[in-house]
Amino acid sequence: MRAALSVFWRSLQYWGDEIALLVPLNAAWLLAVLLIIPGPPATAALLTVTNRMAHGELVSWRIARDAFRRYFWKSWAWAAINLAFVGLLVFNHLYYSAHTSGTVLVLVRAMWAVMALVWSALQFYWFPLILEMPGHPIILALRNAGRLALLNPGFTVTLLIVVLLFTAISVALTVMMMLMWTSVLALVANHATLDRLAAYREMRALLGEEAMERASLEGIDRPAASPVITPRPPKRRPRRARQRQRHKSSKKATRG
């Protein structure tokens, strides 16, 4: 529970650090969704920008623009799967509402509500895993998202509750929805994925590959000869400090 709250708080800190970029990106995302066709690529662009932020890198509009182009069709494939699931939910709701009643209808609605929550929880890990995996596979990343959620049920449920509360507040306060809702959720998804990947690799190193075989993440696990423990995402530094660091690095490279 504490780890999930820490991830959410860290995401808010990173959002504040890059507010000048993320607010217009959030607004651009809303416009893209209203236009429908650029909606999924704009989502991929926002997730890519926040993924770079979670890795401690400097970000810019250029990264968003390149990601929009690079993931245009892949993001639409990802969106198509999500739309198919939502369509299935709507169809089942309409069908059972017309053909059943009483206790059966209540149970069916409860079952599909739980499935909708589970599907929503998988979104924390799904696209960030696509970005973290070589070749950017969609279905394999979805399977890994399911395994990562099963390995961290308390973390995932806590984060889902926090995100639902944040969403409710954002809907009530329209300004939050327009300026920060999507960008904060994108940061939460990337920070949560990197945090749980680090925890997974630590667990795999402690328990061994055989113990973790059934819960292994395909396409992410490193060869046995390579170190499996990776550091958690770097702590937030002020944008100016990171810019100075980049400036120093460029000077050293020029001198070299």
Side-chain angles (χ1 to χ4, degrees):
M1 179 176 179
R2 183 179 297 178
L5 295 176
S6 176
V7 160
F8 187 78
W9 176 245
R10 189 189 315 152
S11 300
L12 291 177
Q13 289 179 311
Y14 273 60
W15 183 86
D17 188 35
E18 298 289 351
I19 187 172
L21 173 65
L22 292 180
V23 166
L25 266 179
N26 202 109
W29 177 85
L30 280 174
L31 177 61
V33 170
L34 291 175
L35 295 174
I36 300 176
I37 298 298
T43 304
L46 186 56
L47 283 163
T48 301
V49 168
T50 50
N51 178 266
R52 299 285 186 88
M53 289 175 62
H55 278 287
E57 301 177 18
L58 288 172
V59 290
S60 64
W61 277 97
R62 181 181 57 80
I63 294 174
R65 181 198 62 198
D66 293 345
F68 184 94
R69 295 173 179 173
R70 182 178 186 182
Y71 297 110
F72 188 94
W73 296 112
K74 186 152 291 187
S75 65
W76 258 109
W78 166 77
I81 297 173
N82 279 297
L83 289 172
F85 181 82
V86 172
L88 184 62
L89 283 180
V90 173
F91 171 80
N92 276 273
H93 173 73
L94 296 175
Y95 177 84
Y96 284 102
S97 295
H99 294 83
T100 60
S101 60
T103 306
V104 175
L105 180 59
V106 172
L107 290 175
V108 169
R109 285 178 175 175
M111 180 186 71
W112 282 100
V114 170
M115 292 187 67
L117 290 173
V118 170
W119 188 261
S120 299
L122 292 181
Q123 304 305 316
F124 291 142
Y125 311 115
W126 189 6
F127 208 92
L129 281 174
I130 292 175
L131 298 175
E132 294 293 322
M133 297 173 65
H136 312 291
I138 295 177
I139 301 302
L140 183 56
L142 177 59
R143 290 206 300 267
N144 283 338
R147 290 173 181 173
L148 207 56
L150 287 174
L151 286 171
N152 303 277
F155 176 94
T156 303
V157 170
T158 301
L159 197 60
L160 181 61
I161 292 172
V162 173
V163 164
L164 289 175
L165 289 174
F166 178 72
T167 299
I169 295 172
S170 298
V171 171
L173 303 174
T174 310
V175 174
M176 285 183 62
M177 176 68 72
M178 294 176 63
L179 301 182
M180 66 183 299
W181 179 67
T182 312
S183 51
V184 169
L185 293 192
L187 279 166
V188 168
N190 279 292
H191 279 297
T193 300
L194 293 181
D195 186 85
R196 292 302 90 191
L197 283 177
Y200 163 77
R201 286 167 175 147
E202 290 172 3
M203 186 185 303
R204 188 177 177 87
L206 290 173
L207 299 180
E209 293 185 8
E210 293 183 1
M212 295 289 292
E213 184 176 357
R214 292 184 179 180
S216 63
L217 303 180
E218 303 174 59
I220 288 180
D221 296 326
R222 299 184 175 189
S226 302
V228 292
I229 299 179
T230 57
R232 294 183 184 276
K235 293 182 179 179
R236 183 180 70 95
R237 288 185 295 161
R239 182 179 178 89
R240 291 181 181 178
R242 286 185 281 144
Q243 287 176 332
R244 286 197 297 268
Q245 182 63 35
R246 187 177 66 169
H247 183 64
K248 289 180 181 178
S249 300
S250 62
K251 275 188 175 182
K252 289 181 180 179
T254 304
R255 290 173 185 174

